[in-house]
Amino acid sequence: MIRTERLNLLPFTIKQVQAVLNGRNELEDLIGSRVPEEWPSPAFAKMLESKKETLTHTPEASQWSRIVVDWEERQLVGEIGCKGGPDENGVVEIGYGIAESFRNKGYASEMVKGLVEWLKQKEMVTKIVANCLETNQPSIKVLEKSGFKRTHVADGLIHWEIV
Protein backbone atom coordinates (compact mmCIF):
# COMPACT_ATOMS: atom_id res chain seq x y z
CA MET A 1 0.00 0.00 0.00
CA ILE A 2 1.07 3.56 -0.69
CA ARG A 3 -0.17 6.09 1.86
CA THR A 4 -0.38 9.86 1.41
CA GLU A 5 -1.86 12.56 3.63
CA ARG A 6 -5.46 11.54 2.86
CA LEU A 7 -5.19 8.52 0.61
CA ASN A 8 -4.39 4.82 0.52
CA LEU A 9 -3.32 3.59 -2.92
CA LEU A 10 -4.21 -0.09 -2.67
CA PRO A 11 -2.88 -2.71 -5.10
CA PHE A 12 -5.76 -3.66 -7.41
CA THR A 13 -5.78 -7.43 -6.93
CA ILE A 14 -7.58 -10.13 -8.89
CA LYS A 15 -9.99 -10.49 -5.97
CA GLN A 16 -10.86 -6.78 -6.14
CA VAL A 17 -11.22 -6.84 -9.92
CA GLN A 18 -13.64 -9.77 -9.64
CA ALA A 19 -15.55 -7.91 -6.90
CA VAL A 20 -15.97 -4.89 -9.22
CA LEU A 21 -17.24 -7.19 -11.96
CA ASN A 22 -19.67 -8.79 -9.49
CA GLY A 23 -21.02 -5.45 -8.24
CA ARG A 24 -20.31 -2.40 -6.13
CA ASN A 25 -21.49 -3.98 -2.85
CA GLU A 26 -18.99 -6.82 -3.11
CA LEU A 27 -16.09 -4.39 -3.58
CA GLU A 28 -17.33 -2.23 -0.69
CA ASP A 29 -17.34 -5.27 1.59
CA LEU A 30 -13.89 -6.31 0.43
CA ILE A 31 -12.15 -2.94 0.90
CA GLY A 32 -14.27 -1.64 3.79
CA SER A 33 -15.05 1.61 1.98
CA ARG A 34 -17.92 3.11 0.03
CA VAL A 35 -17.73 2.99 -3.77
CA PRO A 36 -19.42 5.86 -5.64
CA GLU A 37 -22.15 5.11 -8.16
CA GLU A 38 -20.10 6.66 -11.00
CA TRP A 39 -17.10 4.38 -10.46
CA PRO A 40 -15.66 2.74 -12.45
CA SER A 41 -15.77 5.11 -15.39
CA PRO A 42 -16.84 3.53 -18.70
CA ALA A 43 -13.23 3.65 -19.96
CA PHE A 44 -11.85 1.93 -16.85
CA ALA A 45 -14.71 -0.59 -16.83
CA LYS A 46 -13.74 -1.66 -20.37
CA MET A 47 -10.28 -2.66 -19.11
CA LEU A 48 -11.46 -4.84 -16.23
CA GLU A 49 -11.75 -8.13 -18.13
CA SER A 50 -8.24 -7.79 -19.59
CA LYS A 51 -6.93 -6.74 -16.15
CA LYS A 52 -8.53 -9.87 -14.68
CA GLU A 53 -6.85 -11.98 -17.37
CA THR A 54 -3.45 -10.41 -16.70
CA LEU A 55 -3.72 -10.83 -12.93
CA THR A 56 -4.84 -14.44 -13.31
CA HIS A 57 -1.50 -15.25 -14.97
CA THR A 58 0.72 -12.73 -13.14
CA PRO A 59 -0.78 -11.77 -9.75
CA GLU A 60 2.31 -9.68 -8.89
CA ALA A 61 1.23 -7.24 -11.64
CA SER A 62 -1.30 -5.84 -9.13
CA GLN A 63 1.48 -3.60 -7.75
CA TRP A 64 1.30 -1.51 -10.95
CA SER A 65 -2.43 -0.80 -10.69
CA ARG A 66 -4.12 0.83 -7.67
CA ILE A 67 -7.52 1.79 -6.40
CA VAL A 68 -7.50 4.95 -4.33
CA VAL A 69 -9.37 5.32 -1.04
CA ASP A 70 -9.71 8.38 1.18
CA TRP A 71 -8.76 6.47 4.33
CA GLU A 72 -10.40 8.86 6.79
CA GLU A 73 -13.70 9.11 4.88
CA ARG A 74 -13.57 5.40 3.93
CA GLN A 75 -14.50 6.33 0.38
CA LEU A 76 -13.07 5.11 -2.93
CA VAL A 77 -12.21 8.20 -5.00
CA GLY A 78 -10.54 6.77 -8.12
CA GLU A 79 -7.78 4.68 -9.62
CA ILE A 80 -4.16 5.14 -10.67
CA GLY A 81 -1.47 2.96 -12.10
CA CYS A 82 1.18 2.21 -14.64
CA LYS A 83 0.22 0.94 -18.04
CA GLY A 84 1.76 -2.51 -17.72
CA GLY A 85 4.69 -1.73 -15.44
CA PRO A 86 8.17 -0.72 -16.64
CA ASP A 87 9.21 -1.56 -20.20
CA GLU A 88 12.60 -3.02 -21.14
CA ASN A 89 14.17 0.44 -20.70
CA GLY A 90 12.60 1.02 -17.28
CA VAL A 91 10.02 3.51 -18.56
CA VAL A 92 6.58 3.50 -16.93
CA GLU A 93 3.56 5.39 -18.21
CA ILE A 94 1.03 6.40 -15.59
CA GLY A 95 -2.68 6.92 -15.96
CA TYR A 96 -5.36 7.85 -13.45
CA GLY A 97 -9.01 8.65 -12.99
CA ILE A 98 -11.11 10.36 -10.33
CA ALA A 99 -14.78 9.62 -9.76
CA GLU A 100 -16.72 12.70 -10.86
CA SER A 101 -18.03 13.62 -7.40
CA PHE A 102 -14.44 13.79 -6.07
CA ARG A 103 -12.92 16.03 -8.72
CA ASN A 104 -11.44 19.46 -7.93
CA LYS A 105 -10.56 18.45 -4.37
CA GLY A 106 -6.83 17.81 -4.84
CA TYR A 107 -7.13 14.02 -4.89
CA ALA A 108 -5.62 13.57 -8.36
CA SER A 109 -2.50 15.61 -7.58
CA GLU A 110 -2.07 13.86 -4.24
CA MET A 111 -2.35 10.37 -5.70
CA VAL A 112 -0.07 11.15 -8.66
CA LYS A 113 2.59 12.54 -6.30
CA GLY A 114 2.23 9.46 -4.07
CA LEU A 115 2.62 7.03 -6.96
CA VAL A 116 5.56 8.97 -8.41
CA GLU A 117 7.39 8.89 -5.06
CA TRP A 118 6.82 5.15 -4.83
CA LEU A 119 8.00 4.61 -8.41
CA LYS A 120 11.17 6.62 -7.83
CA GLN A 121 12.13 4.07 -5.17
CA LYS A 122 11.91 1.18 -7.65
CA GLU A 123 15.33 0.35 -9.12
CA MET A 124 13.75 -1.03 -12.30
CA VAL A 125 12.05 2.33 -13.04
CA THR A 126 14.27 4.81 -14.90
CA LYS A 127 11.69 7.24 -16.25
CA ILE A 128 8.05 8.13 -15.53
CA VAL A 129 5.91 9.46 -18.36
CA ALA A 130 2.26 10.39 -18.94
CA ASN A 131 0.08 11.87 -21.65
CA CYS A 132 -3.22 13.70 -21.85
CA LEU A 133 -5.36 15.37 -24.45
CA GLU A 134 -4.40 18.94 -25.30
CA THR A 135 -7.94 19.92 -24.26
CA ASN A 136 -7.86 18.20 -20.85
CA GLN A 137 -7.14 21.21 -18.62
CA PRO A 138 -7.70 19.35 -15.33
CA SER A 139 -5.10 16.69 -16.23
CA ILE A 140 -2.68 19.34 -17.48
CA LYS A 141 -2.92 21.07 -14.09
CA VAL A 142 -2.49 17.80 -12.18
CA LEU A 143 0.62 16.83 -14.15
CA GLU A 144 2.15 20.29 -13.81
CA LYS A 145 1.46 20.38 -10.05
CA SER A 146 2.98 16.91 -9.74
CA GLY A 147 6.31 17.93 -11.27
CA PHE A 148 5.86 16.65 -14.83
CA LYS A 149 7.27 18.65 -17.76
CA ARG A 150 5.93 18.65 -21.30
CA THR A 151 8.20 16.86 -23.76
CA HIS A 152 6.20 17.18 -26.97
CA VAL A 153 2.74 17.24 -28.54
CA ALA A 154 1.63 14.68 -31.11
CA ASP A 155 -1.76 13.67 -32.48
CA GLY A 156 -3.63 15.86 -30.01
CA LEU A 157 -1.80 14.44 -26.99
CA ILE A 158 0.62 16.29 -24.73
CA HIS A 159 3.44 13.96 -23.65
CA TRP A 160 4.96 14.47 -20.22
CA GLU A 161 7.94 13.27 -18.22
CA ILE A 162 8.88 13.68 -14.59
CA VAL A 163 12.18 15.38 -13.89
Side-chain angles (χ1 to χ4, degrees):
M1 175 177 61
I2 301 167
R3 189 167 188 144
T4 67
E5 184 180 337
R6 296 179 293 172
L7 305 173
N8 286 334
L9 283 64
L10 308 171
F12 197 33
T13 65
I14 183 83
K15 199 172 192 180
Q16 292 166 339
V17 172
Q18 188 59 57
V20 175
L21 293 169
N22 291 347
R24 176 173 294 100
N25 292 343
E26 190 170 320
L27 181 62
E28 287 178 335
D29 291 344
L30 190 60
I31 65 172
S33 296
R34 292 180 309 279
V35 176
E37 291 289 324
E38 72 268 20
W39 192 89
S41 69
F44 193 67
K46 283 182 191 175
M47 298 186 308
L48 291 174
E49 283 296 339
S50 68
K51 190 169 289 296
K52 178 182 168 186
E53 183 70 23
T54 299
L55 292 172
T56 298
H57 300 293
T58 51
E60 65 277 6
S62 66
Q63 70 177 314
W64 304 112
S65 184
R66 309 279 174 145
I67 52 175
V68 181
V69 173
D70 180 320
W71 54 267
E72 196 170 86
E73 299 294 325
R74 301 182 70 80
Q75 177 70 57
L76 185 141
V77 298
E79 74 280 339
I80 191 167
C82 304
K83 299 177 181 177
D87 68 13
E88 64 279 355
N89 298 314
V91 178
V92 290
E93 180 180 349
I94 67 164
Y96 53 89
I98 293 286
E100 196 169 329
S101 56
F102 295 97
R103 293 180 183 163
N104 300 310
K105 296 180 180 176
Y107 287 119
S109 297
E110 185 175 336
M111 67 190 203
V112 168
K113 288 176 188 174
L115 182 65
V116 164
E117 288 308 310
W118 180 80
L119 289 169
K120 285 181 175 180
Q121 297 171 24
K122 299 288 179 195
E123 283 186 30
M124 66 196 84
V125 175
T126 59
K127 186 191 290 187
I128 305 165
V129 299
N131 66 59
C132 69
L133 292 171
E134 288 180 282
T135 56
N136 190 338
Q137 287 302 314
S139 272
I140 291 169
K141 287 179 184 175
V142 165
L143 292 167
E144 288 174 342
K145 284 170 71 176
S146 301
F148 281 81
K149 301 293 180 214
R150 296 173 194 230
T151 59
H152 64 283
V153 178
D155 299 322
L157 289 177
I158 303 171
H159 295 261
W160 304 81
E161 167 180 321
I162 195 84
V163 268

